[in-house]
C-alpha cells in the first residue's frame, strides 16, 4: 500500500509556515494531535531535523501505519494511542501543536468500518474500535427525539425529524446494521421534490460519526488543554472540516485573545488561561490548485494562534 498516494496532507505548506517559527530551537517539541497516516508529521520531521515529535491518535490502525512510516526518524518520534482530550498529559512544554480534525482517508477507504455511505458495510464508525458504542447501536437504542437532535445538531440536517421517524419505523422490522440498509431507508424517506445538495445520507452519516466518537465534546476539552500546554511563543494550528468544529475553534481562540472571555462559550477556558494572538485573519481556505487536486481540501478551515505574554494579547478577530 502506498500511503503517500492514499492521503495527501492538507494545507501542508501553510502548516509548516505557521508552525516552523515556533520550532526553531534544538529539541523543540511538535505535537501532532491527529497523527493519521503521519503525512504532516513526516514533512515536519524531514524539514526540521532538530525537532522531536509526539503523535497522538485514537485509531490503532493509523498508529501502526504512521509508526512504520516514521520509523526512520528513530527516537525523535513518540507515538501514543489516546483520545486527544488527554493532550495536556502529553503536550506539556510543546512549542507547536497541530490538529487535522475528522476522519482520515484510511478510515474512509476501509469499507468495513462503516464511515462511507457509498460502501455497504457494518455500521461501526468508531475511530477507536476497542471502545465505545457503534453507529448500529445508536440507531437501535436512541429514541426518535434523540436521533432527531443529533441529526439536527451534528448534521445540520433539515429533514432530521423525517429521517428519525423513518429509522424508528424501519427498526421495528429489522435492526439497521449495515450502511447500505440505512442509505435505503433515508432515500425512501426523502421526498422527490426536495432538492438535496449532495447525497441524501451525507449529513446523517456525519452526525452519526460525530455522536459515536463524541467528536465535539472531546474537541471542546482538547483545544483549551492544548493551548494551556504550549510554551510562551508556542503556536497551535487547527484544521476543521465542518462548521461546528470551526466555530468551536474560533471561539476558543477569540476568548484567549480578548481581554475578557465572551459569555456563553461552548469551550471552558481555565481560570488563569494563557493569552494568545491569532495568526490567521478569519479562517483560511486551501488555494484553488490544492482544492482541484485534493477533494479532501475543499471543506478545510484553518486557524492558528500564538501564545503571548499576558500584556500582548490582540483583539479577537
Ligand atoms: C484527517 S486525519 C489526520 C491525517 C494526518 N494529518 C496525515 O496527514 O496523515 C485525522 C486523524 O485524527 C484521528 N482522530 C480523530 N479524532 C480523534 C480524537 N478525538 N483523538 C485522537 N485522534 C483522533 C483519526 O483517527 C484520524 O486518524
Amino acid at each position: 500500500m502506498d500511503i503517500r498516494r492514499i492521503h495527501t496532507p492538507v494545507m501542508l505548506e501553510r502548516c509548516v509556515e505557521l508552525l516552523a517559527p515556533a520550532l526553531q530551537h534544538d529539541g523543540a517539541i511538535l505535537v501532532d494531535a491527529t497523527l493519521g497516516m503521519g503525512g504532516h508529521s513526516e514533512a515536519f520531521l524531514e524539514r526540521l531535523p532538530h525537532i522531536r515529535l509526539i503523535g497522538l491518535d485514537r485509531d490503532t490502525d493509523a498508529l501502526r501505519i504512521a509508526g512504520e512510516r516514521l520509523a526512520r526518524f528513530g527516537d525523535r518520534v513518540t507515538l501514543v494511542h489516546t483520545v486527544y482530550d488527554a493532550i495536556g498529559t502529553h503536550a506539556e512544554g510543546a512549542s507547536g501543536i497541530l490538529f487535522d480534525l475528522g476522519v482520515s482517508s484510511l478510515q474512509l477507504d476501509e469499507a468495513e468500518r462503516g464511515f462511507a455511505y457509498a460502501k455497504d458495510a457494518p455500521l461501526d464508525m468508531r475511530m477507536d474500535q476497542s471502545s465505545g458504542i457503534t453507529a448500529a447501536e445508536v440507531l437501535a437504542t436512541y429514541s426518535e427525539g434523540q436521533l432527531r437532535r443529533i441529526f439536527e445538531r451534528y448534521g445540520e440536517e433539515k429533514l432530521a425529524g423525517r429521517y428519525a421517524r423513518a429509522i424508528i419505523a424501519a427498526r421495528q422490522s429489522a435492526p439497521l446494521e449495515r450502511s447500505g440498509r440505512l442509505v435505503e431507508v433515508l432515500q425512501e424517506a426523502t421526498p422527490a421534490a426536495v432538492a438535496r445538495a449532495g447525497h441524501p445520507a451525507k449529513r446523517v452519516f456525519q452526525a452519526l460519526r460525530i455522536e459515536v466518537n463524541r467528536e465535539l465534546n472531546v474537541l471542546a476539552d482538547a483545544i483549551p488543554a492544548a493551548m494551556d500546554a504550549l510554551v510562551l511563543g508556542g503556536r497551535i494550528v487547527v484544521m476543521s472540516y465542518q462548521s461546528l468544529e470551526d466555530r468551536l475553534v474560533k471561539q476558543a481562540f477569540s476568548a484567549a485573545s480578548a481581554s475578557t472571555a465572551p459569555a456563553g462559550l461552548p469551550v471552558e477556558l481555565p481560570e488563569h488561561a494563557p493569552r494568545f494572538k491569532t495568526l490567521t485573519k478569519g479562517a483560511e481556505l486551501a488555494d484553488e490548485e490544492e482544492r482541484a487536486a485534493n477533494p479532501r481540501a475543499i471543506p478545510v478551515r484553518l486557524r492558528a494562534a500564538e501564545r503571548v505574554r499576558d500584556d500582548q494579547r490582540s483583539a479577537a478577530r
Side-chain angles (χ1 to χ4, degrees), residues 137-306:
E137 285 165 327
V138 168
L139 293 171
T141 57
Y142 280 29
S143 68
E144 186 179 324
Q146 284 174 308
L147 289 173
R148 178 175 45 74
R149 274 192 295 281
I150 63 168
F151 298 160
E152 272 168 2
R153 175 138 196 262
Y154 300 152
E156 300 180 277
E157 172 55 72
K158 291 200 177 65
L159 299 180
R162 180 182 275 269
Y163 286 159
R165 260 194 315 283
I167 287 165
I168 299 291
R171 80 183 187 197
Q172 312 294 335
S173 35
L176 293 168
E177 286 174 340
R178 299 193 64 89
S179 50
R181 177 70 189 124
L182 176 59
V183 169
E184 275 169 23
V185 169
L186 299 172
Q187 272 169 337
E188 282 162 19
T190 308
V194 175
R196 310 250 60 199
H199 195 283
K202 184 175 166 197
R203 290 168 180 275
V204 167
F205 271 62
Q206 172 182 304
L208 285 170
R209 195 199 80 213
I210 292 174
E211 174 68 10
V212 164
N213 296 291
R214 299 184 57 255
E215 287 178 34
L216 292 172
N217 312 47
V218 171
L219 188 63
D221 288 341
I223 296 293
M227 292 166 84
D228 213 26
L230 277 174
V231 297
L232 201 61
R235 291 182 167 197
I236 175 168
V237 170
V238 186
M239 287 183 281
S240 313
Y241 295 85
Q242 40 106 345
S243 54
L244 296 165
E245 289 169 346
D246 181 53
R247 210 174 300 157
L248 209 144
V249 176
K250 176 182 172 186
Q251 286 170 329
F253 285 7
S254 299
S257 57
S259 47
T260 51
L265 280 182
V267 286
E268 266 190 48
L269 297 177
E271 200 182 332
H272 299 293
R275 292 291 147 201
F276 279 76
K277 73 172 179 200
T278 48
L279 301 169
T280 40
K281 211 167 187 180
E284 291 187 6
L285 312 180
D287 64 28
E288 265 185 41
E289 198 184 330
E290 182 172 0
R291 291 153 70 93
N294 181 8
R296 274 191 49 76
I298 295 172
V300 72
R301 299 278 178 280
L302 180 150
R303 295 181 189 270
E306 177 181 315

Side-chain angles (χ1 to χ4, degrees), residues 7-10 32-41 56-59 62 69 82-85 98-107 113 127-128 213-215 218-219 239 241 296:
H7 183 86
T8 312
V10 173
D32 185 344
T34 51
L35 181 73
M37 284 180 278
H40 286 93
S41 286
L56 316 180
D57 209 293
R58 72 196 305 184
D59 182 337
R69 183 178 192 170
T82 185
V83 177
Y84 55 51
D85 57 358
L98 175 68
F99 283 87
D100 179 17
L101 302 174
V103 269
S104 71
S105 317
L106 173 74
Q107 289 159 339
R113 300 186 63 173
M127 290 184 193
D128 178 353
N213 296 291
R214 299 184 57 255
E215 287 178 34
V218 171
L219 188 63
M239 287 183 281
Y241 295 85
R296 274 191 49 76

